[in-house]
Amino acid sequence: MLQSLRVALCVSVAFLAGASLGALTLESVQLRDDDVAGFPGAKFGLWAGHHPSKLECKAFPGTDDWPSEREWRRLNATLGGALLQPVLPAAACYAGPNYDADKCAFLVNNASRSHFYIDDPVTVLTQWPQGETCLPVLNATGTCTRGGFPDYVVNASTVRHVQAAVNFARNNNVRLIIKNKGHDFGGRALGAGSLSIWTHHLDDFEFLPHYRKGRYSGPVAHFGAGLEQYMLFNYMSRYNITMVGSGVRTIGANGGWFAHGGHGNLASFYGLGADQALELGVVTANGRFVIANEEENTDLFFALRGGGPSTYGVVVSVTVKTYPPITLTSSTLSIACNPPADANARAQFSPISAATNLISDPSRFWDAIAIYFRYKQFIVDHGGVDWDYLYPLGNSSFTFRTSITFPNTTAAQAAALLAPLYTALQAAGFPITLNTTALTTTPYSTSSTQPPPSSNGLSPQRYRSRLLPRANWASDRLFAATMSALRGAVADGGYPLHTLAIGATNAVAGWPGRTGAVNPAWRDGIVHAILVTQQPARMAAADARAEEARAGKWTAGLRAVAPRAGAYLNEGDPGEMGWQRSFYGRHYERLLEVKRERDPWGVFWAATTVGGEAWEVRSVDGYPRSQRSQNGRLCRTGRVWEDEEDEW
Ligand SMILES: Cc1cc2nc3c(=O)[nH]c(=O)nc-3n(C[C@H](O)[C@H](O)[C@H](O)COP(=O)(O)OP(=O)(O)OC[C@H]3O[C@@H](n4cnc5c(N)ncnc54)[C@H](O)[C@@H]3O)c2cc1C
Ligand SMILES: *[C@@H]1O[C@H](CO)[C@@H](O)[C@H](O)[C@H]1NC(C)=O
Ligand SMILES: *[C@@H]1O[C@H](CO)[C@@H](O)[C@H](O)[C@H]1NC(C)=O
Ligand SMILES: *[C@@H]1O[C@H](CO)[C@@H](O)[C@H](O)[C@H]1NC(C)=O
Ligand SMILES: *[C@@H]1O[C@H](CO)[C@@H](O)[C@H](O)[C@H]1NC(C)=O
Ligand SMILES: *[C@@H]1O[C@H](CO)[C@@H](O)[C@H](O)[C@H]1NC(C)=O
Ligand SMILES: *[C@@H]1O[C@H](CO)[C@@H](O)[C@H](O)[C@H]1NC(C)=O
Ligand SMILES: *[C@@H]1O[C@H](CO)[C@@H](O)[C@H](O)[C@H]1NC(C)=O
Ligand SMILES: *[C@@H]1O[C@H](CO)[C@@H](O)[C@H](O)[C@H]1NC(C)=O
C-alpha cells in the first residue's frame, strides 16, 4: 500500500516536471482513478504488492475468461470510442462479406510500394510470424483466418488511451501487444487473441531550444512515440536542427528502432537512437504514467534505452538531444565477379553499371572484398558508416555494392578519408579508382511532403545478425578467419550478406547515452553483419526446419570466430541461440530485475524480450520454437533464465 502511494506521488511530481517542459497534448490527457471507479476491468494495478495472475495461459477468444462483449463496450466507452475491431485488409481477397476485387488487386500489385501497410492498424511487414492466415493473393481459395493478428486495437492518441488498454489487459489476463510501424522482423508487433496498442497516432512534437538536465544543457526535441522517421526529418528542416534517426523513413522514430539501439547515418558520430534520450514518458504495467530520467524512475531510464521493446512499459514520449545542422558526404563502390550475361540478372540486386569494377577471378574478388572490410575500421574511427550488400548469383558470380557516408565533411575531406582504401586496392593490383566527381554532399535533414512508400513491402526475409568486435580487426589471423566465415556463408552457403560499419562507442554515445542498456556488443563492435535468409509465408514446417539447419551451419561459423560478439535484436533472428546474452550481453541480469519489479503480472511479452523465456506461443503450424508464428495462445513455460556460461 505504501509502495503504491509512493508511486502515485511520483506520478504527479513527474507530470509537473513534464508540464514545465511544455507537455505534449497527448501527455496531458490522462486516466484518473475516478474515471474508472465504477469499472473494475480498467482499474489501476497496485505496485508489486498485487498478486499477479498465476493462470497458465492468457485468455483467448472462445475461452471462458475472454472478456464479454459488454466488457469490451465499457472499455470502448472509457477510451472515448477509440477501440477498433479491424477487418484484415486481405479479407478483400477472399469469398465472403468483405470480398472486394479492386481492393485485393491494389493489395497484391501496389500496396507494397505505397504507405498502406504503415498506416494500417494491424498489418506488419514480415509475413511468416502471421501464421496460417489471410495472405493477399489473387483468386484466393480457402478462408481468411485471423492468424497472429490481434482481435482488438486501441487507436491510441493520448496517454489515457494507453493507460486504459494496459489496465484492461492486465485485469482481464488478455495478451497485450504494441504496434508502431510494424517493421519488426520477428513478429513482435503481432499476437493471436490479443489487445493491441497502436501507437501510430502518438505523434505530437515540440522543439525546446533551452533545456537542462544533469550534464546536458542545450536544445532538445520532445515528441510522441509514434512519430515516423520522415516526420522527424521534416522537423529537422523546419527547426534547422539535427536529430539522430534511421535512414529508412517509414520506421518509427521512437518505437522498436529506439528500443534496442537504433542505427542510422550518424551512429558513429553521435551514437544510436537510444543514446539520445534525456527523458522518457512511459505507461508501466500498473497503468501509471511516469517520467523516467536520470533522477526519477532511474531503473526504467536505464532499461528503456536499449533494453528491448515491449518489456517494461509502453513508451509514450521521448526527449532527445538536438544538434546544429550537418551535412553528409557519400560515396559508392561497386565490384562484381563474373556477372551473369543475362540482362535481367544483371539488373537485379546490385545492378551492374559503367561504374562497376569487374574482377573475373573469384579468389581475387574476395581479396578485394577483404581489403574493403579491413577499411571498415577506418570508416567508423572517422565518424562514418557504410551500408553494403554482397549477393551470390551462382557459378562463382557475385555482386558487391557499398555506400560510405562521412558526416560533417566536404567532398575534399571525404576524398582524403577515402584515399587509404583506394591506395590499398591499387597496391594489391586492382585498377580501382575513386571518382571524385561522384562524391555527393547533402544536408542530413530533408523534407518530404508525401509519406514515403515502404522500402520493401511484405517480406519473407529473416535476418541473422552478428555485431563483430574490434578485436576481430586487431589480429591478422582473426581477421582472416572472419573473412573466411563470411565468404563461406556467401559463396558456399549461398546467402546474401548485408553488412554495416558502425562504431557507436561509449565515447561517441557520450552522456547519458553510455549509461543506458544498449547491448555492450554495439560499443566495441565495428561491423553489424547480417546473413539474409528466407522464410516465405506458409513455408511447410519441415522445409522451415531444414532451412534452419542449413543456415545454422553458417551462422555457427560466424559465432566461432566471434563467440562473444552479440547480435542486434531489431535485425537479428528470433531463433538466435542464447538470445539473452546475444541481444543484451552483461545487462541481462539487471534488466531482468527491472522487468520483474515493474511487470510482475507479465503484461508485456514479445519474442526474445527480457524475461521472455517465461512464456511461449503455442503456435499451430508446427514450426520449431525458434520460428514460431504468433498464431497461437500465449502460455507460461515454467522456465526461468539460467545462464549456461558464467564468464561474461
Ligand atoms: C525496411 C526496414 C529497414 C530497416 N532499417 C533499419 C535501420 O536502418 N536501422 C535500424 O536500426 N533498424 C532498421 N530496421 C529494423 C527496425 O529497427 C525494427 O524493425 C524496428 O522494430 C522497427 O520499428 P517499428 O516502429 O516499425 O516497430 P514495430 O514493428 O511496430 O514494433 C517493434 C517492437 O517494438 C515494440 N514497440 C513499438 N512501439 C513501442 C512503444 N511505444 N513502447 C514499447 N514498445 C514498443 C513492439 O511491441 C514490437 O515489439 C529496419 C527494418 C525494416 C523492415
Ligand atoms: C467504439 O466506439 C466507437 C464510437 O462509438 C464506434 O465507432 C466503434 O465501432 C466502437 N468499437 C467497437 C470495437 O465496437
Ligand atoms: C497500381 O499502380 C499503377 C501505376 O503504378 C496504376 O496504373 C494502377 O491503377 C494501380 N492499381 C491499383 C489496383 O490501384
Ligand atoms: C485469376 O482469375 C482470373 C479470371 O478468373 C484470371 O484471368 C487470372 O489469371 C487469375 N489470376 C491468378 C493469379 O491466378
Ligand atoms: C485513429 O485516431 C486518429 C485520431 O487520433 C484518427 O485520425 C484516425 O482516423 C483513427 N484511425 C482509425 C482507423 O480509426
Ligand atoms: C541554421 O543553423 C546554423 C547553425 O546553427 C546557422 O548558421 C544557420 O544560419 C541557420 N539557418 C537558418 C535558415 O536559420
Ligand atoms: C551456371 O552455369 C551453368 C553452365 O554454364 C548454367 O547452365 C547455369 O544456368 C548457370 N547458373 C546460374 C545461376 O547462372
Ligand atoms: C564539423 O567540422 C567543422 C570543420 O571541420 C568543425 O569545426 C566542427 O567542429 C565539426 N562539427 C562537429 C559537430 O564535429
Ligand atoms: C564519375 O561520376 C560522375 C557523376 O556521377 C559520372 O557522370 C561519371 O560518368 C563518372 N565517371 C566514371 C569514370 O565512372
Side-chain angles (χ1 to χ4, degrees):
M1 196 57 197
L2 262 178
Q3 275 280 41
S4 80
L5 272 176
R6 186 185 66 77
V7 169
L9 256 162
C10 252
V11 170
S12 52
V13 171
F15 181 60
L16 280 178
S20 68
L21 247 179
L24 302 173
T25 308
L26 69 88
E27 291 173 304
S28 62
V29 184
Q30 298 191 16
L31 191 70
R32 310 282 166 190
D33 291 271
D34 285 353
D35 300 330
V36 287
F39 181 22
K43 278 192 174 171
F44 287 92
L46 294 179
W47 206 245
H50 183 79
H51 298 295
S53 157
K54 290 276 183 264
L55 296 170
E56 190 190 353
C57 295
K58 297 278 181 180
F60 203 74
T63 64
D64 288 347
D65 50 352
W66 186 251
S68 65
E69 290 289 327
R70 179 167 174 274
E71 282 294 293
W72 288 109
R73 275 200 300 278
R74 294 186 76 182
L75 172 62
N76 198 10
T78 305
L79 292 166
L83 188 68
L84 312 175
Q85 215 175 353
V87 170
L88 302 184
C93 299
Y94 294 77
N98 299 306
Y99 181 77
D100 180 336
D102 289 347
K103 187 173 174 199
C104 180
F106 166 77
L107 290 173
V108 173
N109 299 318
N110 297 37
S112 284
R113 289 191 306 270
S114 75
H115 204 258
F116 178 85
Y117 289 115
I118 319 296
D119 287 334
D120 185 84
V122 296
T123 53
V124 301
L125 298 183
T126 302
Q127 284 190 315
W128 66 265
Q130 302 170 15
E132 303 278 323
T133 184
C134 194
L135 298 178
V137 285
L138 294 177
N139 304 349
T141 54
T143 52
C144 169
T145 59
R146 198 99 199 143
F149 290 104
D151 287 83
Y152 289 91
V153 174
V154 174
N155 180 9
S157 55
T158 64
V159 162
R160 180 188 164 104
H161 291 151
V162 176
Q163 292 177 294
V166 168
N167 283 346
F168 187 84
R170 185 195 59 249
N171 295 344
N172 290 285
N173 190 37
V174 166
R175 181 173 178 188
L176 186 71
I177 63 170
I178 307 162
K179 183 202 165 185
N180 189 21
K181 310 296 169 188
H183 286 63
D184 184 85
F185 287 106
R188 296 185 186 83
L190 289 168
S194 70
L195 168 64
S196 172
I197 298 176
W198 184 35
T199 57
H200 189 65
H201 291 285
L202 294 171
D203 61 1
D204 302 4
F205 178 95
E206 63 176 351
F207 174 60
L208 303 164
H210 307 289
Y211 172 94
R212 180 184 290 274
K213 182 67 65 189
R215 289 178 226 176
Y216 182 81
S217 173
V220 295
H222 175 208
F223 54 86
L227 201 83
E228 205 169 317
Q229 292 286 356
Y230 86 91
M231 295 177 173
L232 206 70
F233 280 93
N234 281 349
Y235 285 121
M236 290 185 224
S237 296
R238 184 185 308 172
Y239 292 104
N240 192 27
I241 53 172
T242 294
M243 289 178 271
V244 168
S246 138
V248 174
R249 288 172 197 216
T250 49
I251 293 179
N254 195 36
W257 178 77
F258 173 97
H260 200 253
H263 65 77
N265 281 328
L266 298 176
S268 310
F269 198 78
Y270 286 136
L272 301 170
D275 295 336
Q276 311 307 315
L278 295 156
E279 297 198 65
L280 291 146
V282 52
V283 173
T284 52
N286 61 354
R288 301 292 175 184
F289 175 61
V290 301
I291 299 290
N293 58 36
E294 60 128 19
E295 285 151 15
E296 43 187 336
N297 298 300
T298 52
D299 59 332
L300 287 173
F301 188 54
F302 166 71
L304 292 170
R305 289 176 302 144
S310 197
T311 310
Y312 319 95
V314 184
V315 175
V316 171
S317 64
V318 65
T319 302
V320 299
K321 297 177 185 174
T322 74
Y323 307 92
I326 196 167
T327 58
L328 304 176
T329 301
S330 296
S331 169
T332 61
L333 168 65
S334 300
I335 306 177
C337 180
N338 296 324
D342 175 65
N344 282 334
R346 288 170 80 92
Q348 266 188 347
F349 305 120
S350 308
I352 313 291
S353 73
T356 305
N357 299 282
L358 298 175
I359 298 175
S360 55
D361 175 355
S363 111
R364 292 288 288 152
F365 170 81
W366 284 100
D367 288 346
I369 297 298
I371 290 170
Y372 181 73
F373 271 64
R374 263 288 191 201
Y375 173 71
K376 282 179 184 265
Q377 175 171 2
F378 184 92
I379 298 178
V380 304
D381 287 348
H382 291 82
V385 296
D386 79 357
W387 170 285
D388 65 46
Y389 286 93
L390 211 175
Y391 289 102
L393 304 176
N395 290 352
S396 297
S397 166
F398 305 96
T399 59
F400 172 75
R401 186 170 198 277
T402 187
S403 170
I404 306 165
T405 299
F406 288 109
N408 195 37
T409 51
T410 60
Q413 287 167 330
L417 292 170
L418 289 159
L421 168 64
Y422 288 88
T423 304
L425 285 168
Q426 284 151 21
F430 297 104
I432 297 178
T433 53
L434 173 66
N435 180 356
T436 49
T437 53
L439 287 177
T440 53
T441 302
T442 52
Y444 177 72
S445 79
T446 50
S447 52
S448 54
T449 48
Q450 290 298 314
S454 53
S455 51
N456 63 349
L458 297 183
S459 159
Q461 288 177 351
R462 278 182 73 177
Y463 277 8
R464 297 164 199 255
S465 144
R466 256 7 296 128
L467 294 168
L468 299 172
R470 193 166 282 268
N472 286 44
W473 269 247
S475 117
D476 287 346
R477 190 194 53 77
L478 208 46
F479 181 75
T482 306
M483 289 314 299
S484 158
L486 293 172
R487 178 178 175 171
V490 178
D492 302 330
Y495 293 107
L497 174 70
H498 173 28
T499 81
L500 302 98
I502 293 171
T505 59
N506 275 324
V508 164
W511 187 91
R514 63 174 178 267
T515 69
V518 160
N519 189 347
W522 273 121
R523 301 308 186 196
D524 73 341
I526 289 187
V527 168
H528 176 207
I530 303 165
L531 286 190
V532 184
T533 70
Q534 307 279 325
Q535 182 164 334
R538 289 187 170 160
M539 187 178 199
D543 295 341
R545 282 168 198 270
E547 174 55 24
E548 187 68 7
R550 209 173 77 78
K553 180 177 164 201
W554 302 106
T555 49
L558 260 187
R559 291 175 85 104
V561 294
R564 304 261 156 99
Y568 182 36
L569 178 150
N570 280 343
E571 290 173 311
D573 190 50
E576 169 76 23
M577 275 194 308
W579 56 264
Q580 292 89 343
R581 284 298 180 211
S582 291
F583 292 154
Y584 306 93
R586 64 182 152 75
H587 293 321
Y588 197 75
E589 287 86 340
R590 187 172 162 198
L591 289 171
L592 194 55
E593 269 176 47
V594 179
K595 171 69 177 177
R596 287 176 178 160
E597 171 75 16
R598 290 288 182 170
D599 185 14
W601 303 272
V603 172
F604 302 105
W605 182 87
T608 73
T609 55
V610 169
E613 57 277 335
W615 297 86
E616 70 182 359
V617 175
R618 297 201 177 151
S619 130
V620 295
D621 44 22
Y623 288 161
R625 185 198 305 285
S626 59
Q627 295 146 282
R628 231 162 240 187
S629 311
Q630 294 300 315
N631 62 1
R633 197 168 175 182
L634 184 66
C635 298
R636 292 175 195 273
T637 57
R639 278 198 298 278
V640 290
W641 179 67
E642 286 168 58
D643 197 10
E644 307 89 43
E645 295 174 81
D646 49 13
E647 287 165 46
W648 280 66

